Amino acid sequence: MIVLRTRRTARTTVLCIALASVLGLPTAALAQAEQTVTIGHAGPLTGGAAHWGKDNDNGARLAVEDLNKQGLVIGGKKIKFVLQSEDDQADPKQAMVVANKLADMGVKGMLGHFNSGAAIPASAVYSRAGLPDVSTATNPTFTKQGYNNVFRILASDDDVGMAIADFTVKDLKAKKIAVIDDRTAYGQGAAEVFTRGVKSLGGTVVAQEFGSDKATDFMAILTSIKAKQPDVVFYGGMDAQGGLIARQMKQLGITAKLLGTDGLCTNEVAKISGGAVDDLLYCTRGGKEIEKTSKGAEFEQRYKARFGVEVLTYAPYLYDAMMALAAGMRAANSVEPEAYLPAMRKVKFDGVTGAISFDAKGNLQKPDFTVFTYKDGKRVRVAGS
């Protein structure tokens, strides 16, 4: 077999095609030379939030594999996508290190960061580099900075926080509310939206406390809250702390319900709580139940077959995020960020998580939400759009 390696110059291409003709070799393969397109992904791949980061990485990786099976041809070249994942440790400073590394590598698009506290500062780096940046960051600030390169692939805290606030006052009939947050951009932002929401609906916030995203002992905070006799306790943060709060509420005999947004809406929170979340926790997530979407059940089956584990939460959103980048590239017939970024505003398709399209600021249009509780350690839907 004779293998012809071409350089990116018109003269060399012409010579190779001429040589192929002389040797009687097909020239179609030369006309569609393969181009490797590297896509960046960043999230917490180590530490207490690593289960989130790995789930996201798996979702993005499955999308890349599916796209490569399609044999996409963009700009006259067969495209091979490669995912470059980096660990930001859910830390804003490390996120900046990772963002600069990926931008300097010349990635053609970004998936992530997962945590709002990491995604918001990193988005400035990707904006300067002109990279389309599709994230699951829910803090509203992510798309309010004036950057034209950011896209949120699910509902924001404004949407989800108001949904759980409405459910708290109207469905749970709660009047006295206690609020705790972890002081991260995500947790504090969710708590602020929820607090505004319950106040606007007539609820009274009787306590506002905070811990950290590394805290394990909430006994002092919960003891103080217990004395206020709230109907509900809202926690703005992630499942690692939310599960412990549920367990410690049970230990202290607090009868209030525990509330949270998507950070608490996992199977992991039930394990961490030792079953304490049953009939205690109500949480709201952006999006419909994945098995309720037209492509969700198939995705879950393929995900488990590929990775040997169940979908945690955001893998299907990272899958759709990668598909959104690919849709923009196909629409522009280019993998270069400056060429396909404008096309991202017009992306519209039926994804695994539902209908995907973005508004002028990069927010997902018409986002859905679902409210869950827990029975026997399993999430059970109780309300939603």
Side-chain angles (χ1 to χ4, degrees), residues 180 216 218-219 222 233 235 238-259 264 269-282 374:
I180 311 170
T216 57
F218 295 89
M219 285 298 199
L222 291 172
V233 176
Y235 179 63
M238 305 302 288
D239 53 5
Q241 285 68 47
L244 296 176
I245 289 174
R247 182 187 298 181
Q248 291 167 32
M249 284 176 65
K250 287 281 190 180
Q251 291 170 356
L252 289 170
I254 295 175
T255 58
K257 299 298 185 183
L258 176 62
L259 306 177
L264 268 62
V269 76
K271 298 175 186 176
I272 294 167
S273 75
V277 292
D278 286 349
D279 300 312
L280 172 73
L281 173 62
Y282 288 88
Y374 282 76

Side-chain angles (χ1 to χ4, degrees), residues 58 60-70 81 306-307:
N58 287 346
R61 202 163 295 281
L62 188 58
V64 163
E65 291 172 359
D66 284 353
L67 287 167
N68 286 341
K69 291 175 184 176
Q70 293 178 20
F81 289 106
R306 171 65 177 83
F307 301 108

Side-chain angles (χ1 to χ4, degrees), residues 52 56 73 114-115 121 126 138 160 273 276 280 282 315 330 343 354 356:
W52 296 95
N56 287 4
V73 175
F114 169 65
N115 304 82
Y126 304 130
T138 57
V160 177
S273 75
L280 172 73
Y282 288 88
R330 280 184 286 199
I356 304 298

Side-chain angles (χ1 to χ4, degrees), residues 296-311:
E298 179 194 11
F299 176 86
E300 287 187 313
Q301 292 171 1
R302 294 200 304 116
Y303 181 98
K304 187 173 183 179
R306 171 65 177 83
F307 301 108
V309 295
E310 301 284 352
V311 171

Side-chain angles (χ1 to χ4, degrees), residues 150-270:
V150 294
F151 303 88
R152 193 195 320 272
I153 198 68
L154 75 172
S156 76
D157 289 337
D158 280 344
D159 303 306
V160 177
M162 281 304 300
I164 193 67
D166 189 78
F167 180 81
T168 299
V169 176
K170 296 181 180 179
D171 292 78
L172 296 182
K173 308 299 182 184
K175 297 185 182 301
K176 298 168 66 178
I177 294 104
V179 179
I180 311 170
D181 73 73
D182 65 1
R183 293 288 100 171
T184 66
Y186 165 72
Q188 187 173 359
E192 289 173 352
V193 172
F194 173 78
T195 299
R196 287 198 304 270
V198 293
K199 286 182 176 179
S200 71
L201 294 168
T204 301
V205 177
V206 297
Q208 286 187 274
E209 304 283 351
F210 65 88
S212 79
D213 59 347
K214 306 294 188 301
T216 57
D217 185 355
F218 295 89
M219 285 298 199
I221 289 175
L222 291 172
T223 298
S224 174
I225 285 175
K226 182 180 179 180
K228 307 291 179 59
Q229 298 182 316
D231 299 312
V232 301
V233 176
F234 177 89
Y235 179 63
M238 305 302 288
D239 53 5
Q241 285 68 47
L244 296 176
I245 289 174
R247 182 187 298 181
Q248 291 167 32
M249 284 176 65
K250 287 281 190 180
Q251 291 170 356
L252 289 170
I254 295 175
T255 58
K257 299 298 185 183
L258 176 62
L259 306 177
T261 50
D262 50 349
L264 268 62
C265 250
T266 69
N267 292 330
E268 201 69 19
V269 76

